[in-house]
Amino acid sequence: MDALNIQDNPWLSGLALITLAGLFLTLFTFASGSRINFPPNRKASTSQTPPLSISPEKKIPPAQKPSAPAPNPNPLSTLPPQRRHTLKALLPNVPYIEIPEDEILRHILPMIANWTECASTLARGEKGLQVYTPTGFSITEIEALGDFPDYALLSGVPLPTKYEGFDIERALPRPYRPFRWAYHQTMSLTKLEPDWWLELENTYRTRIAQRKALFAKHNDGVLDSLPGSELACKELMEMVVQFLCTRYPQYFTLVDKRVLVNRILGTEQDVRSKPPLEILMDNVPEDFGIMLRDDVSGNYFLRAGVICSSMGWNVKSKVGLQLHRIHDEIPDYMEKMRFSMDRFFTKMPTDKPIQRGSWGLEIGQPLHMPPGDPHEKLRTVQDPNLKLEDCHLRIDWQTLRRLPLSGAIAFNFKALFTPVAEFRDEPCVPALLAKVMKEGKENLMKYKGTMHVEHVVLPKLEEWAIEQEDKGLAPKDWEVATLDDSPWFKGWQDKWHRQQGF
């Protein structure tokens, strides 16, 4: 799954996650190491400013370098950081009780157990059956919180600010260009910007209709959930609805914590009328995957997902698999990334969600390409009649976060398409992408699958790179490297605002 995929492959192009770090393989592996450093005292980005980025790791003097990497924590005895303390504010009339982690581990909710059945058992007064989620909440407490609790407080991630002036008819996605050099198998991670967890743009209606048609055709090939994922699916749906109503109040409203009013589509929908993932399917043009902690091994498994933009795989082929099995096709994953990914999932807190981007080059705008799809054949040959205008950059922009109540890890991503011709006036982008295409590691480039367009795209990139140096858009004879503004380019905001008109 590209959601949990590697560095630049479409997150779930190869299904990657996360992971989703898609998780999201692409799913999230650390760039040269296992530690992420967030720069202090940096302003959060808005629609007017670039986002926070993770600074390069400081070099450790040779004398301080550890002789060997720290061992992975035992996943069976390790829980993510607890969030029980938020109950003091959320349930002020209920006495707060601190529960030791060892007790939580002894009475943890089984991965395959439906939380509502546990709640029913407790309601009948049966003793000795109190159970807890990995983040420390008991089923009784989750029941008391009710529907749509304050997820900002629960998670430690603030709700987004209202997007003033946003117009769904003209909105364009931010121009992500997550190209990197040197290009190798890593996860290029940044801190999630709360305002941009989900991003709407002018293809909204088309994408929703396309996704619903894919669901009608493929059913569990694009949407499925296994027993035990009920709480996480409900929680994710509620968090998404809270986000949409806060970020885009002119388009979304939740009435009485039950009816979602969608003014873009002109619909009113009881969120209890369908399974939570189908509510997301009907209203959100993004893909979601849910990983749950197995109480028997402590490892994480894909237990639910609504994923309509996978390339070469589908939900049916991945659901139920452990994290590393999801990425079997990813080059170098087992050797270079499994250790870090397993450790990351074991300890990831709720208040430090992350984001990353993966990319590919496509003919047209293929959204969903399950195994055996006719579009696969286009990727095996170089069509001599292919035109530049038919070539598109596909970006899978991915995020990964832990859900506060269930303790599940959710990755999401969406496919964004941009004509390759857009690179012509984007400083240094043509030279950087040409460098990656010509000199990138063979197995990674083969996995990414750019061969079918190289004969058309690469000559143009080289031509534009020279043109940019002549026009002063790029320095003369510059040493090609990851751009300072990555995952964007210098001046991206001006171009973006000009093109969408706000």
Side-chain angles (χ1 to χ4, degrees), residues 395-411:
I395 294 294
D396 288 279
W397 191 248
Q398 314 155 1
T399 78
L400 185 70
R401 66 187 302 173
R402 188 181 294 278
L403 307 184
L405 292 178
S406 64
I409 288 183
F411 65 90

Side-chain angles (χ1 to χ4, degrees), residues 50-86:
L52 292 168
S53 63
I54 295 180
S55 60
E57 292 190 284
K58 296 180 179 179
K59 293 184 178 180
I60 303 174
Q64 298 179 31
K65 287 185 178 179
S67 57
N72 263 0
N74 181 350
L76 187 56
S77 60
T78 304
L79 293 174
Q82 303 296 283
R83 300 297 298 179
R84 283 188 55 78
H85 61 276
T86 59

Side-chain angles (χ1 to χ4, degrees), residues 38 52 127:
F38 298 108
L52 292 168
K127 296 181 179 180

Side-chain angles (χ1 to χ4, degrees), residues 24 146 245 318:
F24 9 40
C245 293
K318 299 292 183 178

Side-chain angles (χ1 to χ4, degrees), residues 281-298:
M281 167 76 74
D282 290 345
N283 294 279
V284 189
E286 303 222 8
D287 288 339
F288 298 90
I290 293 175
M291 309 287 294
L292 293 181
R293 180 186 184 275
D294 174 30
D295 55 295
V296 176
S297 67

